[in-house]
Amino acid sequence: MKNKFTNEVLADTDDARSGKLSDIQQQLDELQQNGMTPMDIRAVLFNKMLDIYQVPNDHFLRDAETPERIDDPSIALQLQQLGFSKKPRYQLH
């Protein structure tokens, strides 16, 4: 049991250091070093979330102030109530 727990913790730590996450962290660090603020990054991520929910570019939500917490579940609920849904990950042809 002791080895199992140790292996699970190591796997989680390895995931955090894995290629994709490490690359994203490096890119975010470069953006900040080039003058992009965390608030700018949050706005970009919020707009990306609106893209995922297929919100049109001219919709009022894109002009609204970026929420403090873009991980707030009420945002997804509001998007669903407005009739937006996530893009399917894989489209079948």
Side-chain angles (χ1 to χ4, degrees):
M1 187 69 172
K2 182 180 176 184
N3 290 337
K4 181 179 179 187
F5 178 74
T6 303
N7 289 339
E8 287 177 14
V9 171
L10 289 175
D12 291 342
T13 304
D14 289 343
D15 286 346
R17 295 184 192 140
S18 73
K20 286 185 179 182
L21 293 177
S22 179
D23 290 346
I24 291 171
Q25 184 61 53
Q26 187 175 12
Q27 291 172 7
L28 288 171
D29 290 343
E30 287 176 23
L31 288 171
Q32 283 188 296
Q33 289 168 2
N34 289 325
M36 193 170 199
T37 67
M39 285 72 65
D40 295 334
I41 295 170
R42 185 180 69 204
V44 168
L45 292 173
F46 178 67
N47 277 286
K48 189 45 108 177
M49 182 174 74
L50 295 179
D51 290 345
I52 291 170
Y53 276 87
Q54 305 178 66
V55 176
N57 288 334
D58 60 351
H59 196 273
F60 75 89
L61 284 174
R62 294 201 184 260
D63 294 330
E65 187 174 324
T66 304
E68 285 288 319
R69 295 206 41 171
I70 60 174
D71 63 337
D72 184 348
S74 68
I75 296 170
L77 182 61
Q78 179 187 17
L79 289 168
Q80 291 170 357
Q81 289 173 342
L82 290 171
F84 297 109
S85 62
K86 287 185 179 182
K87 288 181 186 177
R89 277 192 112 170
Y90 304 101
Q91 294 182 350
L92 299 175
H93 295 277

